[in-house]
Amino acid sequence: MRAAWEHFPHGADVGIRGMGPTKEAAFEQAALALTGAVTDPAAVRPEVAVQVACEAPAADVLLVDWLNALVYEMATRRLVFGAFTVAIDGGRLHATAWGETIDQVRHEPAVEIKGATYTALRVEERDDGSWLAQCVVDV
Amino acid sequence: MDLSLLSRKSDVEWWIEPHGRMRVPGIVFGTESLVKEMDEKVYEQVTNVATLRGIVRASYAMPDAHWGYGFSIGGVAAFDADQGGVISAGGVGFDISCGVRLLSTGLTRELVEPLKKRLADELARSVPAGVGRGGRLHLDGPEMDAMLAGGARWAVEQGYGMAADLERIEEHGRMSGAKPGEVSEHAKTRQRDQMGTLGSGNHYLEVQHVAKVFDPAAASAFALREGDVVVSIHCGSRGLGHQIGTEFLKRMVLAAPGYGIDVPDRELACAPIDSPEGEAYLGAMRAATNCALANRQIITHLVRRAFDSVVPRSQLTLLYDVSHNTCKVESHQMDGRTQRLFVHRKGATRAFGPGHPDLPPALSAIGQPVLIGGTMGTASYVLVGAGGSEARSFGSSCHGAGRSMSRHQALRQWNGRQVIEELASRGILIRSPSARGVAEEAPGAYKDVTAVVDAADRAGLSRKVARLEPLVCIKG
């Protein structure tokens, strides 16, 4: 299957969902969906590469940790990311996030992400062998 | 919400009778139509909270309740540490001590109308709002810790605002028991450049006029008259609070099984109040509360400066500052005894009635101001804590309108620039760095705040004092 991301509705916040042929691809797509809550990921230039690493006892907790690591990098470096490469080895994730400094005019950022949550959290392999990674992010 | 699952106690009070693992009933306040419109998740979340160890009296939902994280937004629950009571990061929320403060300007709408555009531009220039906008104040090491321990008192000592402001802030401007050492370096780094910033989402700074007074005696005590201009500030503890919420939610999720806490929803993860995790969270959460109080105090200073540059010698007086995402230690009467309880209010406002010892002397006879935020295009309300509300809801009331539509839907329905033009045609000036942000926050995406406030009034949670309507709105 082709990798893709989308948003799903949640009362006050935003549901983000990534899908792909592998768990790694689904995590990359979920990260694009995270950016999509702020701005159009396609409009983000890959000018800076940030290394991210995290570790968690379960795949779904790892997704929350991964997204929260990105939220932290976005907030403290004032970056937005438009491309990701993720490697997962058991409970460990290593990734590179490509992006640029946020530009108020070009990116017109809609909201600041407060954090990824455990609401509607799912990381699973589907019947067709593809992977899904999703949760709600608080904005 | 399915009304057939509830017992109707009055027009505005509905009970979820204890069943399954519930230790206490659930009590939902609201008119039939408000309760019917509430998400089924509110029923589930109110029920889940009622199963938590050490909960006393009831698990409450205010009239603006909607689907939250573990607790519903609009959820109130009190816990007794002596009965194994718990503290929950989800029960406070990600934006710790998010709240509203209201300033009187001493100016009339008549005077401000011709200056409105200049005022809007000056406020937008002075108060950083939106994603990626830092403040001019940078805090490191000992200064950060001093702010986390001192709250608005620290801000006043640094020259932001006046000592007289402090008595008009919950906790007199400083939450005691804060432990800056329990706040991670990540949380502090996230806050380094964020003091005095508004943030984004539903946060705002509004210049409003008093459109209607409902309770002349209370309005007079609050120095509010029809035609007066006031300023509302709605924001919280910024990146620091968000990071603390994120970190402790995970810590509680991982620690809960070790305490024999088996919660039906991971977001409800909690720790015993008297546990290392519970005590660490309390210390960090109180530090984040001080961060929010300091942040609103600095913004107040920036607003005063902006007003002064447009209307020389204007005097903005703080009416009151409330926090609506909190957990506080309070004394309440339980079966004729005074009991010390940990009261969680997630998207709910403390609303103490007349005579409460925590109120400043000037407000003691009338009760605590309860500040309810609206939307850019509708209205906000000032209410006052009602006598007897402590017995009804641990002295709690609603906090705002609540969304009726997701951001996703709102974005499909509205264009930000059109929303700004439409509001301008009604005399409301919007200043925002993000048209998309404005579309997501379109007034039509929110519930009717008037219905929520009327229900809170009828349920005796707080009494309506005045309705405020926007003239200028600065959005993140």
Side-chain angles (χ1 to χ4, degrees):
Chain A
M1 79 158 288
R2 254 184 72 235
W5 63 268
E6 62 187 17
H7 290 155
F8 61 91
H10 174 270
D13 294 310
V14 183
I16 61 166
R17 180 179 290 145
M19 294 152 289
T22 61
K23 194 199 285 184
E24 287 81 356
F27 272 51
E28 290 166 2
Q29 292 297 317
L32 286 170
L34 179 78
T35 299
V38 182
T39 192
D40 177 8
V44 178
R45 297 169 185 157
E47 291 172 356
V48 185
V50 175
Q51 303 301 319
V52 175
C54 42
E55 193 172 351
D60 54 358
V61 181
L62 190 65
L63 176 69
V64 173
D65 281 4
W66 155 237
L67 297 171
N68 278 326
L70 292 173
V71 169
Y72 177 78
E73 297 297 340
M74 288 161 76
T76 54
R77 300 184 195 221
R78 295 189 194 170
L79 293 173
V80 270
F81 298 114
F84 306 89
T85 52
V86 170
I88 298 173
D89 176 14
R92 285 189 189 162
L93 175 148
H94 289 276
T96 307
W98 299 87
E100 62 170 320
T101 302
I102 202 151
D103 180 324
Q104 297 291 338
V105 177
R106 197 155 44 80
H107 297 128
E108 218 179 26
V111 285
E112 188 175 54
I113 313 266
K114 292 175 186 165
T117 76
Y118 294 80
T119 295
L121 173 61
R122 279 164 65 192
V123 173
E124 61 193 30
E125 189 175 4
R126 297 189 289 189
D127 291 345
D128 63 359
S130 67
W131 282 79
L132 174 142
Q134 69 166 49
C135 72
V136 170
V137 295
D138 193 353
V139 297
Chain B
M1 196 184 287
D2 182 354
L3 296 180
S4 70
L5 298 172
L6 308 172
S7 308
R8 182 187 191 128
K9 300 289 176 181
S10 78
D11 283 355
V12 282
E13 186 176 330
W14 309 74
W15 282 40
I16 303 170
E17 302 294 350
H19 62 274
R21 292 165 53 195
M22 287 174 77
R23 297 165 192 262
V24 291
I27 299 182
V28 181
F29 293 107
T31 55
E32 183 171 328
S33 67
L34 280 172
V35 176
K36 214 188 249 177
E37 280 168 32
M38 284 178 191
D39 200 299
E40 293 304 326
K41 288 278 180 188
V42 174
Y43 177 89
E44 193 181 307
Q45 293 186 323
V46 170
T47 303
N48 287 345
V49 169
T51 68
L52 296 178
R53 200 185 290 169
I55 187 168
V56 295
R57 206 189 285 159
S59 161
Y60 296 96
M62 299 294 113
D64 52 341
H66 52 284
W67 181 19
Y69 301 105
F71 277 56
S72 58
I73 297 165
V76 175
F79 297 85
D80 181 357
D82 294 337
Q83 293 179 46
V86 293
I87 181 150
S88 160
V92 173
F94 278 86
D95 196 355
I96 297 167
S97 197
C98 181
V100 183
R101 68 164 52 187
L102 187 69
L103 306 162
S104 328
T105 66
L107 307 172
T108 60
R109 183 182 182 185
E110 204 179 3
L111 187 138
V112 168
E113 276 290 349
L115 304 169
K116 208 163 62 175
K117 189 175 171 304
R118 271 181 62 204
L119 205 48
D121 293 337
E122 194 55 35
L123 287 167
R125 204 182 59 77
S126 307
V127 182
V131 185
R133 290 272 317 266
R136 288 184 194 89
L137 179 66
H138 307 282
L139 294 186
D140 280 313
E143 282 178 310
M144 175 70 75
D145 286 358
M147 180 276 288
L148 294 174
R153 272 196 220 170
W154 169 88
V156 169
E157 284 160 15
Q158 305 302 306
Y160 300 102
M162 302 170 285
D165 295 338
L166 298 175
E167 74 159 19
R168 297 296 183 124
I169 304 173
E170 288 182 353
E171 316 300 331
H172 307 282
R174 177 181 174 271
M175 183 71 145
S176 60
K179 293 181 186 161
E182 296 292 354
V183 177
S184 71
E185 284 308 313
H186 265 48
K188 290 174 183 174
T189 303
R190 224 170 136 177
Q191 190 60 23
R192 213 171 33 195
D193 301 326
Q194 300 226 306
M195 294 310 294
T197 65
L198 207 51
S200 65
N202 64 357
H203 294 156
Y204 60 79
L205 158 63
E206 275 190 359
V207 180
Q208 304 160 326
H209 66 100
V210 181
K212 189 166 176 53
V213 162
F214 303 99
D215 181 334
S220 163
F222 296 167
L224 296 172
R225 286 170 308 185
E226 284 181 14
D228 279 358
V229 169
V230 295
V231 177
S232 277
I233 300 166
H234 175 217
C235 63
S237 50
R238 311 290 297 110
L240 182 125
H242 310 164
Q243 190 68 27
I244 291 173
T246 296
E247 290 170 4
F248 275 93
L249 182 61
K250 182 180 178 189
R251 214 164 138 183
M252 289 179 178
V253 164
L254 299 179
Y259 291 108
I261 294 173
D262 172 24
V263 285
D265 169 3
R266 268 193 296 195
E267 293 280 352
L268 208 57
C270 49
I273 293 161
D274 295 328
S275 68
E277 289 82 4
E279 283 171 10
Y281 177 68
L282 269 171
M285 184 266 297
R286 287 166 175 163
T289 300
N290 282 332
C291 178
L293 299 181
N295 193 42
R296 292 197 286 273
Q297 186 65 26
I298 294 171
I299 292 174
T300 298
H301 173 76
L302 300 176
V303 168
R304 282 174 170 151
R305 264 206 332 216
F307 260 77
D308 195 56
S309 72
V310 178
V311 188
R313 288 192 290 280
S314 54
Q315 297 226 327
L316 274 61
T317 311
L318 179 54
L319 169 64
Y320 209 64
D321 179 301
V322 298
S323 295
H324 48 229
N325 285 351
T326 59
C327 176
K328 294 188 181 199
V329 180
E330 295 171 6
S331 294
H332 288 276
Q333 292 299 312
M334 296 285 300
D335 307 321
R337 287 189 308 128
T338 303
Q339 228 170 310
R340 185 172 168 268
L341 300 173
F342 290 74
V343 184
H344 292 65
R345 294 189 183 90
K346 169 70 195 94
T349 312
R350 196 191 75 177
F352 286 160
H356 195 283
D358 285 357
L359 294 179
L363 298 176
S364 182
I366 201 83
Q368 181 207 308
V370 177
L371 309 173
I372 308 301
T375 72
M376 294 180 280
T378 56
S380 298
Y381 282 86
V382 179
L383 292 83
V384 63
S389 75
E390 283 176 59
R392 270 188 284 277
S393 59
F394 291 114
S396 310
S397 190
C398 55
H399 86 307
R403 291 187 76 92
S404 61
M405 190 185 284
S406 72
R407 289 176 178 278
H408 191 67
Q409 273 175 294
L411 205 52
R412 277 190 301 192
Q413 193 151 336
W414 289 288
N415 169 299
R417 289 184 178 83
Q418 281 168 356
V419 171
I420 292 170
E421 279 168 25
E422 195 269 322
L423 290 169
S425 73
R426 290 168 44 200
I428 303 167
L429 302 183
I430 307 297
R431 295 289 182 273
S432 172
S434 171
R436 177 177 157 184
V438 170
E440 292 187 5
E441 287 289 318
Y446 280 84
K447 285 185 219 157
D448 177 9
V449 68
T450 300
V452 166
V453 162
D454 285 343
D457 188 308
R458 276 173 61 192
L461 306 176
S462 48
R463 285 192 345 264
K464 265 197 315 188
V465 176
R467 174 184 166 96
L468 315 173
E469 290 179 359
L471 298 169
V472 172
C473 178
I474 314 293
K475 283 295 273 188

